[in-house]
Amino acid sequence: MEERSDMGNHSHMEIERKWMVSGWPEQNFTLIKEEEQNQGYVTTEPTVRIREENVTVSNSPEIPVRDAFILCFKSSGRLARKEIEFEIEREHFDRIRDLIGLPLIAKIRRTYLLPDGHRLEVNLVDPGMKTEFMYAEVEFASVEEAENWEPESVGLGAYLSDDVTKKPGQSMGAYWVQTRQNGK
């Protein structure tokens, strides 16, 4: 996984797998950080998204407790896709949010360090709403690594049993269309 530079910008190939989950993991993995996020979409094909990331807990000296405002572009794809992110000023975030004109998706994200060095990102989406759900993601350095990684290798076989990586309609963009655009 690539972290944003001090300038807040990066471009890379995002390679990640996604699972639907129930609850936070029961294993005693190291919590790297917890964030409160709000995100919305200008368009979903291709993805143009804004996200507010409020780091509320950090157990890593490299990750400050702070707010960040991100503009993100993603190509099509499920397992692997090009991603470009820029940190933007809050004023620009607010203007784009106003342009979108729909309620943003609220998320609580906890990022855990797995025993093999990967990071497990677990997300609670729209907490307290009737559409609330949870999913988890792990990012990889290559498609081959992603396809060969087994959750059992880190004790998560049962927790990460519902792999939706390659299933259509399982992206946050699809959730946006279903609950915001079509549900407005």
mmCIF file of all heavy atoms in Angstrom, residues 3 9 15-16 29 49 51 57 61 63 88 101 106 121 128 143 158 167 170:
data_model
loop_
_atom_site.group_PDB
_atom_site.id
_atom_site.type_symbol
_atom_site.label_atom_id
_atom_site.label_comp_id
_atom_site.label_asym_id
_atom_site.label_seq_id
_atom_site.Cartn_x
_atom_site.Cartn_y
_atom_site.Cartn_z
ATOM 1 N N GLU A 3 1.442 5.182 0.778
ATOM 2 C CA GLU A 3 0.945 6.320 1.553
ATOM 3 C C GLU A 3 1.127 7.589 0.729
ATOM 4 O O GLU A 3 2.013 7.674 -0.106
ATOM 5 C CB GLU A 3 1.733 6.457 2.866
ATOM 6 C CG GLU A 3 1.561 5.287 3.797
ATOM 7 C CD GLU A 3 0.185 5.178 4.402
ATOM 8 O OE1 GLU A 3 -0.485 6.208 4.601
ATOM 9 O OE2 GLU A 3 -0.238 4.045 4.669
ATOM 10 N N ASN A 9 -0.147 13.954 -2.659
ATOM 11 C CA ASN A 9 -0.491 13.468 -3.989
ATOM 12 C C ASN A 9 0.160 12.123 -4.242
ATOM 13 O O ASN A 9 1.293 11.899 -3.836
ATOM 14 C CB ASN A 9 0.007 14.440 -5.057
ATOM 15 C CG ASN A 9 -0.485 15.844 -4.834
ATOM 16 O OD1 ASN A 9 -1.567 16.061 -4.315
ATOM 17 N ND2 ASN A 9 0.324 16.805 -5.213
ATOM 18 N N ILE A 15 -4.258 -2.328 -6.099
ATOM 19 C CA ILE A 15 -4.554 -3.752 -6.221
ATOM 20 C C ILE A 15 -5.064 -4.196 -4.861
ATOM 21 O O ILE A 15 -4.311 -4.210 -3.877
ATOM 22 C CB ILE A 15 -3.303 -4.557 -6.624
ATOM 23 C CG1 ILE A 15 -2.734 -4.007 -7.938
ATOM 24 C CG2 ILE A 15 -3.634 -6.041 -6.743
ATOM 25 C CD1 ILE A 15 -1.329 -4.464 -8.251
ATOM 26 N N GLU A 16 -6.361 -4.507 -4.782
ATOM 27 C CA GLU A 16 -6.927 -4.865 -3.485
ATOM 28 C C GLU A 16 -8.051 -5.874 -3.639
ATOM 29 O O GLU A 16 -8.729 -5.918 -4.661
ATOM 30 C CB GLU A 16 -7.420 -3.631 -2.732
ATOM 31 C CG GLU A 16 -8.574 -2.910 -3.364
ATOM 32 C CD GLU A 16 -8.963 -1.619 -2.657
ATOM 33 O OE1 GLU A 16 -8.269 -1.202 -1.716
ATOM 34 O OE2 GLU A 16 -9.976 -1.034 -3.054
ATOM 35 N N PHE A 29 -5.146 -7.948 16.549
ATOM 36 C CA PHE A 29 -4.186 -7.327 15.643
ATOM 37 C C PHE A 29 -3.869 -5.913 16.127
ATOM 38 O O PHE A 29 -4.699 -5.259 16.757
ATOM 39 C CB PHE A 29 -4.743 -7.243 14.224
ATOM 40 C CG PHE A 29 -5.031 -8.578 13.592
ATOM 41 C CD1 PHE A 29 -6.267 -8.834 13.038
ATOM 42 C CD2 PHE A 29 -4.068 -9.570 13.546
ATOM 43 C CE1 PHE A 29 -6.545 -10.056 12.450
ATOM 44 C CE2 PHE A 29 -4.326 -10.798 12.958
ATOM 45 C CZ PHE A 29 -5.566 -11.040 12.411
ATOM 46 N N ARG A 49 -14.035 11.043 -6.936
ATOM 47 C CA ARG A 49 -14.563 11.019 -5.578
ATOM 48 C C ARG A 49 -13.854 12.039 -4.700
ATOM 49 O O ARG A 49 -12.671 12.311 -4.878
ATOM 50 C CB ARG A 49 -14.339 9.611 -5.006
ATOM 51 C CG ARG A 49 -14.753 9.449 -3.564
ATOM 52 C CD ARG A 49 -14.247 8.142 -2.972
ATOM 53 N NE ARG A 49 -12.807 8.244 -2.701
ATOM 54 C CZ ARG A 49 -11.985 7.210 -2.636
ATOM 55 N NH1 ARG A 49 -12.412 5.989 -2.857
ATOM 56 N NH2 ARG A 49 -10.715 7.392 -2.376
ATOM 57 N N ARG A 51 -13.163 12.759 -0.486
ATOM 58 C CA ARG A 51 -13.242 12.099 0.811
ATOM 59 C C ARG A 51 -12.617 12.988 1.873
ATOM 60 O O ARG A 51 -11.522 13.519 1.675
ATOM 61 C CB ARG A 51 -12.531 10.751 0.799
ATOM 62 C CG ARG A 51 -12.573 10.072 2.187
ATOM 63 C CD ARG A 51 -11.740 8.811 2.256
ATOM 64 N NE ARG A 51 -12.397 7.732 1.555
ATOM 65 C CZ ARG A 51 -11.765 6.669 1.082
ATOM 66 N NH1 ARG A 51 -10.457 6.549 1.214
ATOM 67 N NH2 ARG A 51 -12.423 5.710 0.475
ATOM 68 N N VAL A 57 -7.623 8.205 15.850
ATOM 69 C CA VAL A 57 -6.707 7.405 16.663
ATOM 70 C C VAL A 57 -5.532 7.031 15.783
ATOM 71 O O VAL A 57 -5.728 6.578 14.653
ATOM 72 C CB VAL A 57 -7.393 6.109 17.180
ATOM 73 C CG1 VAL A 57 -6.387 5.224 17.911
ATOM 74 C CG2 VAL A 57 -8.575 6.428 18.064
ATOM 75 N N PRO A 61 3.770 6.705 14.657
ATOM 76 C CA PRO A 61 4.320 8.060 14.613
ATOM 77 C C PRO A 61 4.270 8.686 13.218
ATOM 78 O O PRO A 61 4.306 9.899 13.077
ATOM 79 C CB PRO A 61 5.763 7.896 15.090
ATOM 80 C CG PRO A 61 6.068 6.444 15.001
ATOM 81 C CD PRO A 61 4.763 5.700 15.043
ATOM 82 N N ILE A 63 1.706 8.562 11.244
ATOM 83 C CA ILE A 63 0.322 8.931 10.916
ATOM 84 C C ILE A 63 -0.189 9.908 11.971
ATOM 85 O O ILE A 63 -0.564 9.503 13.067
ATOM 86 C CB ILE A 63 -0.587 7.688 10.847
ATOM 87 C CG1 ILE A 63 -0.045 6.688 9.823
ATOM 88 C CG2 ILE A 63 -2.014 8.096 10.524
ATOM 89 C CD1 ILE A 63 -0.739 5.349 9.821
ATOM 90 N N ILE A 88 -6.543 18.187 -1.125
ATOM 91 C CA ILE A 88 -7.058 19.507 -1.505
ATOM 92 C C ILE A 88 -7.404 20.299 -0.250
ATOM 93 O O ILE A 88 -7.520 19.745 0.841
ATOM 94 C CB ILE A 88 -8.297 19.381 -2.439
ATOM 95 C CG1 ILE A 88 -9.436 18.616 -1.757
ATOM 96 C CG2 ILE A 88 -7.903 18.734 -3.756
ATOM 97 C CD1 ILE A 88 -10.738 18.553 -2.564
ATOM 98 N N GLY A 101 -24.252 17.855 -4.167
ATOM 99 C CA GLY A 101 -25.608 18.125 -3.717
ATOM 100 C C GLY A 101 -26.358 16.956 -3.088
ATOM 101 O O GLY A 101 -27.584 17.002 -2.976
ATOM 102 N N ALA A 106 -21.011 8.221 5.155
ATOM 103 C CA ALA A 106 -20.197 8.236 6.376
ATOM 104 C C ALA A 106 -19.577 6.852 6.568
ATOM 105 O O ALA A 106 -20.224 5.832 6.320
ATOM 106 C CB ALA A 106 -21.049 8.593 7.578
ATOM 107 N N GLU A 121 -8.027 -3.148 6.239
ATOM 108 C CA GLU A 121 -8.872 -1.973 6.445
ATOM 109 C C GLU A 121 -10.313 -2.453 6.581
ATOM 110 O O GLU A 121 -10.860 -3.046 5.647
ATOM 111 C CB GLU A 121 -8.758 -1.003 5.270
ATOM 112 C CG GLU A 121 -7.380 -0.397 5.119
ATOM 113 C CD GLU A 121 -7.274 0.526 3.916
ATOM 114 O OE1 GLU A 121 -8.107 0.436 2.988
ATOM 115 O OE2 GLU A 121 -6.346 1.344 3.901
ATOM 116 N N GLY A 128 -25.607 3.358 11.762
ATOM 117 C CA GLY A 128 -26.898 3.754 12.302
ATOM 118 C C GLY A 128 -28.008 3.873 11.277
ATOM 119 O O GLY A 128 -29.167 4.071 11.637
ATOM 120 N N VAL A 143 -0.917 -8.239 -8.737
ATOM 121 C CA VAL A 143 -2.122 -9.043 -8.964
ATOM 122 C C VAL A 143 -1.860 -10.487 -8.537
ATOM 123 O O VAL A 143 -2.715 -11.116 -7.896
ATOM 124 C CB VAL A 143 -2.569 -8.962 -10.441
ATOM 125 C CG1 VAL A 143 -3.663 -9.978 -10.742
ATOM 126 C CG2 VAL A 143 -3.050 -7.547 -10.767
ATOM 127 N N ALA A 158 -12.323 -17.550 8.510
ATOM 128 C CA ALA A 158 -13.769 -17.435 8.743
ATOM 129 C C ALA A 158 -14.237 -15.989 8.572
ATOM 130 O O ALA A 158 -15.298 -15.732 7.991
ATOM 131 C CB ALA A 158 -14.126 -17.951 10.134
ATOM 132 N N LYS A 167 -17.068 -9.412 -7.902
ATOM 133 C CA LYS A 167 -18.517 -9.374 -8.122
ATOM 134 C C LYS A 167 -18.957 -7.970 -8.524
ATOM 135 O O LYS A 167 -18.621 -6.990 -7.855
ATOM 136 C CB LYS A 167 -19.264 -9.802 -6.856
ATOM 137 C CG LYS A 167 -19.080 -11.255 -6.495
ATOM 138 C CD LYS A 167 -19.902 -11.621 -5.272
ATOM 139 C CE LYS A 167 -19.710 -13.074 -4.906
ATOM 140 N NZ LYS A 167 -20.426 -13.417 -3.665
ATOM 141 N N GLN A 170 -20.378 -4.291 -6.160
ATOM 142 C CA GLN A 170 -19.888 -4.328 -4.779
ATOM 143 C C GLN A 170 -18.957 -3.165 -4.438
ATOM 144 O O GLN A 170 -18.345 -3.167 -3.386
ATOM 145 C CB GLN A 170 -19.181 -5.652 -4.515
ATOM 146 C CG GLN A 170 -20.098 -6.848 -4.596
ATOM 147 C CD GLN A 170 -21.201 -6.818 -3.560
ATOM 148 O OE1 GLN A 170 -20.987 -6.485 -2.398
ATOM 149 N NE2 GLN A 170 -22.414 -7.129 -3.979
#
